[in-house]
Amino acid sequence: NAAVKGRPNMPPEILLASLLKETSTLTNKETWQLAGRRLILKKMQEPIWETPTGNFTIPADTAIMPATLSYTKMNTLLACPMKWVLHYHSGLRVPDALSLPTDNQMIGNLCHRIVENLYSGGNKQWTPEDAEAQALKLYDSLTPAMASELLLEGRELDNSRYRRSVAKAVKQLAGAVEQLGLTVEQSEGKLQGDFVGIPFIGYADLLLHDKNGNPFVLDLKWSGSSSYRKKEIEEGSALQLASYAWMLRTTAPEAQIHSAYFMLAQGELLSDSPLLGNEALAADHSLQEIWNMGSKSWNKQFEYLSKGHIKAAGVIEQCIQTQDGLSDDKLKKFMKEDCTNNGLLYQQPSCRFCDFGVLCGLKGGRV
């Protein structure tokens, strides 16, 4: 305003030019000037970033064997020792407020709870139609607590669609159980075995038995596609199913153990069990072989860790991929073959869903 009053006849374009400056005119010279101030500019040296290698060291014998083990803990160490150390040893985790389930994870949790309630009462055998009807009632009663975002204004269509999908999933599950002649013993059944001297604990979504009394474990999954789990069984890397079979075998060594994934959203039962007849998947390794390779891999990884060496598997694989120019599929094939040739079980790092990518140097900076 003062500039306008002092020069009432100044053309607007000249007045505007005196008030506005392009950033480039202030920074492309050695001397910086603005509003009567002057500074001498010096060009910054480019920082030298250290390329991450994925290898870290800690004092030997720092890593302590956990009090208990589970499939999740075992799989985490096999897939990425760095993540295992940060999460299970150091206790780092994302705050609960930042990790609330939504979308597929939320619906999966809700559907799991419905199945648990369905089979935890007095009635362990449901016809598909009765299971569907009960699932609709349970959906309505559990949604306010487990999927309240679906009750918000504007989410009516989503809520209706998920309600039908969950009821259909439960109906198909009950149909598969009926078709295979299985009997449900319990939901969330606790399984346990002794591994390297410590308890190995797991909880079966559904623990059943066939007509001959042989155990059958169903692990329920809700995801947008069943192809990943199908490939996991075919490639002989389904460690979760193998761990269930191993725990059951510790109490029933003579029994023929069966285990399977039931893909809720697709209504598919995935297993290499002969009970499925022609629909059984052909697996590269039996459940016992998978468990043996997984056990050997655990011992090797923990021994390496105990000596003070930590591997960030995702970073290491990225270095190999870049150096050899491999596609994602070829990288996975290379890593799997290398492990299999040494009697080890390859578990792919879950870098996409990891909270520690900045700490290991995979993303967001360099270490």
Side-chain angles (χ1 to χ4, degrees):
N1 291 336
V4 173
K5 291 179 180 179
R7 297 179 177 84
N9 298 322
M10 180 179 290
E13 62 273 10
I14 297 178
L15 178 61
L16 187 63
S18 67
L19 296 175
L20 301 178
K21 297 287 185 181
E22 292 288 339
T23 305
S24 59
T25 65
L26 302 175
T27 59
N28 62 359
K29 299 178 181 178
E30 293 184 0
T31 304
W32 179 88
Q33 299 182 72
L34 182 65
R37 299 188 179 208
R38 293 168 56 90
L39 288 175
I40 304 300
L41 302 179
K42 293 183 179 180
K43 187 175 181 180
M44 290 183 59
Q45 294 183 347
E46 288 289 335
I48 300 175
W49 298 106
E50 181 180 345
T51 302
T53 64
N55 294 297
F56 301 84
T57 58
I58 57 175
D61 297 323
T62 299
I64 302 173
M65 187 72 74
T68 62
L69 270 176
S70 64
Y71 154 73
T72 303
K73 291 181 181 180
M74 186 179 198
N75 182 69
T76 301
L77 181 63
L78 268 57
C80 182
M82 179 76 167
K83 182 178 181 179
W84 189 91
V85 170
L86 293 174
H87 184 62
Y88 293 108
H89 182 71
S90 301
L92 297 181
R93 64 183 181 88
V94 174
D96 293 339
L98 298 178
S99 58
L100 294 175
T102 187
D103 298 327
N104 276 344
Q105 184 182 1
M106 176 182 69
I107 299 302
N109 292 344
L110 175 58
C111 198
H112 271 74
R113 181 62 61 82
I114 289 173
V115 173
E116 180 183 354
N117 288 1
L118 197 69
Y119 287 103
S120 61
N123 188 1
K124 296 294 181 63
Q125 299 302 117
W126 292 84
T127 65
E129 293 73 21
D130 289 344
E132 181 182 31
Q134 185 65 16
L136 289 170
K137 296 178 182 178
L138 289 170
Y139 181 95
D140 293 336
S141 64
L142 292 172
T143 296
M146 300 190 67
S148 57
E149 67 180 63
L150 295 177
L151 302 179
L152 294 173
E153 186 177 354
R155 298 296 303 274
E156 293 86 359
L157 183 60
D158 289 335
N159 187 29
S160 177
R161 178 169 58 86
Y162 280 128
R163 186 175 185 269
R164 292 195 302 270
S165 297
V166 168
K168 180 181 178 182
V170 175
K171 179 181 181 180
Q172 290 174 317
L173 171 63
V177 171
E178 184 178 75
Q179 182 179 358
L180 292 176
L182 301 174
T183 301
V184 177
E185 295 179 6
Q186 58 181 316
S187 60
E188 290 299 311
K190 183 178 180 180
L191 304 175
Q192 184 169 332
D194 183 274
F195 180 73
V196 295
I198 58 178
F200 191 107
I201 301 172
Y203 291 88
D205 289 336
L206 281 181
L207 183 59
L208 314 94
H209 63 261
D210 64 13
K211 295 177 180 178
N212 297 318
N214 293 310
F216 198 117
V217 177
L218 272 182
D219 188 75
L220 310 179
K221 302 291 185 185
W222 185 290
S223 65
S225 172
S226 61
S227 59
Y228 176 80
R229 295 299 177 183
K230 181 179 180 181
K231 184 178 293 186
E232 188 180 80
I233 294 175
E234 291 175 336
E235 293 180 349
S237 59
L239 180 60
Q240 185 172 14
L241 299 184
S243 68
Y244 289 149
W246 169 75
M247 286 184 282
L248 285 168
R249 197 172 290 112
T250 60
T251 57
E254 302 301 324
Q256 184 178 8
I257 310 297
H258 308 271
S259 61
Y261 291 127
F262 188 84
M263 309 304 295
L264 291 161
Q266 295 77 27
E268 295 181 42
L269 186 69
L270 305 179
S271 176
D272 62 348
S273 168
L275 290 181
L276 273 65
N278 294 333
E279 296 182 3
L281 300 175
D284 289 346
H285 301 287
S286 67
L287 295 177
Q288 183 63 54
E289 290 172 337
I290 295 170
W291 176 254
N292 291 341
M293 292 189 293
S295 302
K296 183 178 179 180
S297 299
W298 166 274
N299 292 328
K300 181 175 180 179
Q301 292 285 19
F302 201 85
E303 179 184 4
Y304 195 76
L305 200 62
S306 300
K307 293 179 180 179
H309 304 290
I310 305 177
K311 296 179 180 179
V315 177
I316 294 174
E317 291 192 9
Q318 186 183 67
C319 292
I320 295 173
Q321 185 174 22
T322 302
Q323 180 179 337
D324 297 343
L326 301 176
S327 65
D328 291 344
D329 289 340
K330 288 185 177 180
L331 173 67
K332 181 181 178 181
K333 182 180 179 181
F334 171 78
M335 299 300 299
K336 186 176 185 298
E337 287 179 351
D338 183 62
C339 286
T340 303
N341 291 338
N342 291 283
L344 304 173
L345 182 67
Y346 173 70
Q347 296 289 276
Q348 189 173 18
S350 56
C351 298
R352 287 178 53 198
F353 310 102
C354 181
D355 300 314
F356 309 123
V358 175
L359 297 181
C360 73
L362 185 67
K363 56 187 176 182
R366 294 290 183 267
V367 293

